[in-house]
Amino acid sequence: MHHPFTPVAAVPVDPRRARVHEEGWQSWSPSGAYALDAAPYRPTNDNWATVCYRPGVTVPEGAFQGEGLLALDPGDGSPVRLWAAPDPVREVPSIRLTRVGSVAQISADGPVNEYTGTDVQSLLSDWAAALGLAAPRPAPTVWCSWYEYFTAVTEDDVHENLRAMDTLDLPVDVVQIDDGYQSALGDWLTLSGRFRSRSGIADAIRARGRRAGIWTAPFLVDPSSELAAGHPDWLVRSTDGGFAHAGHNWDHDLRVLDTTHPDAAAYLTEVFRTLRTEGYDYFKVDFLYAGALDGVRHDDSVDALTAYRSGVELIRAAIGPDAYLLGCGAPILPSVGLFDAMRVSPDTAPHRRPEADDYSQPGQDPAEFTGAARQWQHGRLWTNDPDCLMARPAVETRERWAAHVEATGGLMASSDRLLSLDPWGVDTTRRLLSGGGR
């Protein structure tokens, strides 16, 4: 529920030098610093507003807005200011800045605390450190199937790359199977026709001295899935009696698993316990924004953010404390304390510019913009995942993208068909996997 905005502060600024940092809602939401006369990145269609930004929240033209965090460097030598949610895992107010002449007017639709410091990134880093979280454990190095094969990945593709890691002497700890092994979103234990045995391929990975990883989107449900057909009572509803809408993707209008329903919670637990038993101990859980969408749940006493955190905690309990958990497409502040690593940017891509110039969409430019702006989170909230290295010759400006990934010092993952790499690609992949995230 969104409340009216009320004034928080009025800060004199130098309009020519001042900079404002907006923190976006989730992994893919644009986050970064802007001059006061700049136009911040906003959704360019309604679907992306749901899937990649804070659903149901619009920002007036000419205003800046952070979700739970907004920082201002007044540009006149006075201290940098940060306005932050007092209890960010339970309530994330929208914090808005508008300029009237040489004064920045700050307002919020919920309680905020104010902090001061010398520069924006240091102030954000100090705020994160004050949360008192344990330092994240070292991240494994990863090979991921996504950016070469996408949903067409086959079991044979994984085996080919597994052999290539040995041939090329690449220090890959985890071989992670991404989207495409499952028959439908929600039917995680039913294989697509491109895979023969989920446990069998995990065994093959482990036999070569590597760890098995797997992708899921645990809170999304395809309406054509067996789960949706057999258990419509497990899905979050809208206030008009239909199904809550999690956006359009994979050619479907997606639905949301209601983890406050005991049977749905038991099913999700079964999914992750099964995967863990089969030998998977690295889990990328994706499109997590869906678990925090407003809607009518089985337990109507639970708000959306509590339902989201409880759902992730259920997954952690099922996989155990030793398994590695990477979040993606996740509400940033409500995820604090839940993950080993977190995607902190939109998806990268073989190209630089995103579709429709929307900085929530795949592209190297938006991934660099938001990933660099969230560097303050690395080592304080979790290990940052800047998204995968792509080093094959067909990737546009691959040298620049590799330099960005390397500079983050975060989770290092390769996502090429390894036999397609030229000497530069092999050397770069080996170097980044040898030194990143450790």
Side-chain angles (χ1 to χ4, degrees):
M1 179 180 294
H2 304 292
H3 302 285
F5 281 79
T6 59
V8 171
V11 183
V13 296
D14 180 341
R16 297 168 301 169
R17 299 177 182 271
R19 303 278 287 179
V20 57
H21 172 93
E22 293 186 336
E23 184 61 34
W25 171 242
Q26 54 120 309
S27 299
W28 307 323
S29 308
S31 295
Y34 302 90
L36 289 186
D37 61 355
Y41 297 113
R42 297 290 180 252
T44 57
N45 65 49
D46 290 342
N47 186 55
W48 293 343
T50 296
V51 174
C52 301
Y53 294 79
R54 190 171 190 175
V57 173
T58 57
V59 185
E61 188 173 352
F64 297 92
Q65 186 162 302
E67 304 304 333
L69 294 170
L70 185 135
L72 171 66
D73 180 345
D76 59 2
S78 62
V80 171
R81 304 208 192 184
L82 170 68
W83 294 272
D87 191 3
V89 302
R90 291 182 175 84
E91 183 177 5
V92 182
S94 296
I95 309 165
R96 186 173 290 172
L97 182 151
T98 57
R99 182 169 69 90
V100 179
S102 59
V103 175
Q105 304 282 355
I106 312 300
S107 60
D109 65 358
V112 296
N113 292 336
E114 182 177 322
Y115 305 87
T116 59
T118 56
D119 68 85
V120 169
Q121 286 285 309
S122 295
L123 188 52
L124 287 164
S125 298
D126 291 346
W127 178 83
L131 295 175
L133 300 175
R137 53 184 157 167
T141 58
V142 180
W143 178 85
C144 168
S145 63
W146 178 246
Y147 285 109
E148 180 74 60
Y149 303 100
F150 298 96
T151 58
V153 65
T154 69
E155 185 167 329
D156 290 339
D157 293 328
V158 179
H159 282 294
E160 179 200 276
N161 285 278
L162 188 58
R163 293 189 296 268
M165 292 168 204
D166 291 341
T167 301
L168 298 173
D169 190 26
L170 296 177
V172 175
D173 298 323
V174 173
V175 177
Q176 184 232 306
I177 303 166
D178 213 279
D179 186 11
Y181 68 89
Q182 78 288 352
S183 62
L185 301 178
D187 296 340
W188 302 110
L189 299 181
T190 305
L191 291 175
S192 69
R194 295 179 297 278
F195 280 75
R196 298 178 290 275
S197 171
R198 200 174 44 246
S199 60
I201 197 165
D203 289 344
I205 292 168
R206 297 166 71 203
R208 289 181 176 266
R210 307 185 196 274
R211 297 164 56 187
I214 199 161
W215 173 95
T216 59
F219 303 137
L220 286 183
V221 178
D222 186 325
S224 67
S225 65
E226 293 178 7
L227 187 152
H231 303 285
D233 55 321
W234 293 5
L235 305 179
V236 177
R237 296 278 179 167
S238 59
T239 55
D240 63 6
F243 293 106
H245 178 58
H248 186 87
N249 207 339
W250 292 274
D251 298 321
H252 289 285
D253 291 324
L254 300 171
R255 298 173 184 172
V256 181
L257 186 70
D258 181 3
T259 55
T260 73
H261 192 295
D263 293 338
Y267 167 71
L268 199 60
T269 296
E270 177 194 2
V271 166
F272 281 92
R273 282 182 178 168
T274 299
L275 295 173
R276 187 69 180 89
T277 299
E278 290 176 346
Y280 295 90
D281 70 351
Y282 176 99
F283 296 86
K284 178 180 177 181
V285 285
D286 205 350
F287 292 82
L288 295 178
Y289 70 89
L293 290 172
D294 289 333
V296 179
R297 290 174 166 83
H298 176 79
D299 185 345
D300 59 9
S301 69
V302 175
D303 65 85
L305 293 190
T306 301
Y308 166 70
R309 286 186 64 87
S310 296
V312 177
E313 289 166 350
L314 181 152
I315 293 168
R316 170 57 80 185
I319 64 176
D322 295 333
Y324 201 86
L325 189 59
L326 164 64
C328 187
I332 291 294
L333 296 190
S335 296
V336 167
L338 296 177
F339 294 94
D340 296 299
M342 176 63 71
R343 171 73 73 73
V344 292
S345 71
D347 280 11
T348 187
H351 50 269
R352 293 220 61 91
R353 301 301 298 174
E355 184 179 349
D357 212 31
D358 187 314
Y359 262 48
S360 72
Q361 294 305 293
Q364 294 170 35
D365 282 345
E368 288 181 11
F369 174 79
T370 293
R374 283 180 167 158
Q375 191 64 20
W376 60 272
Q377 298 175 9
H378 181 56
R380 299 175 182 89
L381 302 185
W382 35 58
T383 295
N384 279 13
D385 171 17
D387 209 2
C388 297
L389 171 69
M390 292 180 294
R392 57 190 182 268
V395 173
E396 184 180 345
T397 61
R398 59 177 178 164
E399 296 86 356
R400 176 175 163 182
W401 175 246
H404 167 75
V405 172
E406 186 172 22
T408 69
L411 191 152
M412 295 291 158
S414 164
S415 196
D416 291 298
R417 178 175 180 257
L418 296 174
L419 294 181
S420 74
L421 295 174
D422 61 0
W424 183 92
V426 171
D427 291 345
T428 300
T429 301
R430 186 182 295 118
R431 186 182 78 251
L432 267 62
L433 293 178
S434 297
R438 303 273 175 146

